[in-house]
Each structure stands twice: as structure tokens, then as C-alpha cells.
Amino acid sequence: DDAFNGGFGNGVYAFAGEEKIGKSTNVTTMVHSFIKQNARVFLASYELSKLQIWARLASRYSQSSWQDLELDFNKINDEWCDELEQLSNNFKVEVGPTMDDIFAARNSFDIFIVDYIQRMPPPVKGMDETKATLHNNRALSELMAKYNKTIVLISSIPRSSYGNNGPMFKNSGDIE
């Protein structure tokens, strides 16, 4: 909230970083914060499964780690069930949705998180990864502008950019 002067407003926010730096963990924190503000959140996941995402969220309400919860969700105390139910009422995870799926959900959600943008399916079969990433970035920007939504994009950066200010998104170098 400090970095964004009180939180996220409608717009497109891009977070990129080296592999294994905690981008998906940061998504969990963002989802939790957005839900606490009564936002309706759609997470398009191209890296983690629904079980992995829910285990990460549930670990915030448990003495168990997300790794333990992936193996056994019964480790969550009953006292946290209401909190998790509130999450489930305002949060949807889809693994591998297309841009059409995201646009179809536009009226039901306030915030769309795409974790990892470069893995989003191309709009046309056979389109190369660079063009697909560019197209999907622009389509999500259109969703923000036309429907007044908040879009959060997560991407890894090319290895050649580690430690410097090179291209932001793997595959395209694009950033909105």
C-alpha cells in the first residue's frame, strides 16, 4: 500500500522478476489483501494448480505450512473455515484460461491477476510466443480501460536481464 500510495487503483500493474524470487507468493498476499477490501478477484494461473494456490492462502490461517496443507487440508482448524469461506465467495482460480475466458468473467470480478502472462495461450493457434504475449498484454489493457478493472500481470524476466534494466517480460520485452 505504501508503494502504491494507499493501494491499487484501476490500472495495469506489472510485476516481473527473476525465477524463484517470490512473485507467486506475492500474488497470495495481494489476493488476501484484495479480498479483505471486499474486491472480487479472478486469478488466471499458468504456473500453480488450484490446490497449490488454495494451500498458500489457507496457510495464512493455519499453523501449518502450505507444503503441509497441500498434503492434508484437514490440518486447518475449524475456526478458520469462516475466513476461508469468505475468500471462496470472492475469489476464483482458473488454471490455463484463455483471453476469451477472462473477458467472459469481466462483469463478475473487479481484479484480474494473470500469473504468468507469457504462458497465457495465444489467441490464434500457431502464433509465436512474442506476438502472443504482446497481444495478450494489449487485450488486458483494453479490459482495464474499457471496463474499469484492475489488472495485475506477473512475469519472469529473461535471464539476460538479471541484475540490469533489460526487457521486462520474458518472450516479448513488452510492458504496459
Side-chain angles (χ1 to χ4, degrees), residues 102-173:
I102 291 172
F103 266 84
R106 71 185 175 274
N107 294 327
S108 299
F109 298 93
D110 308 304
I111 299 169
F112 291 83
I113 301 172
V114 178
D115 186 13
Y116 280 2
I117 184 65
Q118 73 272 13
R119 292 186 182 162
M120 183 177 244
V124 177
K125 189 174 181 165
M127 180 182 274
D128 79 22
E129 291 177 346
T130 299
K131 288 180 181 173
T133 301
L134 290 168
H135 176 275
N136 290 334
N137 285 345
R138 284 165 179 75
L140 288 162
S141 291
E142 179 182 320
L143 177 68
M144 177 276 301
K146 195 171 184 181
Y147 299 101
N148 206 27
K149 302 296 180 181
T150 300
I151 311 293
V152 178
L153 305 176
I154 308 298
S155 174
S156 59
I157 60 175
R159 288 188 190 277
S160 61
S161 297
Y162 287 9
N164 65 44
N165 292 327
M168 183 60 84
F169 282 174
K170 193 181 274 185
N171 297 347
S172 72

Side-chain angles (χ1 to χ4, degrees), residues 1 4 7-8 13-16 22-41 43 57 60 87 90-91 111-115 150-155:
D1 285 352
F4 289 101
F8 289 78
Y13 300 87
F15 293 89
K23 296 177 299 293
S24 295
T25 299
N26 193 37
V27 167
T28 302
T29 302
M30 284 189 273
V31 166
H32 177 77
S33 179
F34 292 146
I35 298 297
K36 286 294 185 190
Q37 298 169 35
N38 293 316
R40 297 166 298 153
V41 180
L43 173 59
L57 284 165
R60 299 178 70 87
L87 271 172
N90 292 312
F91 178 58
I111 299 169
F112 291 83
I113 301 172
V114 178
D115 186 13
T150 300
I151 311 293
V152 178
L153 305 176
I154 308 298
S155 174

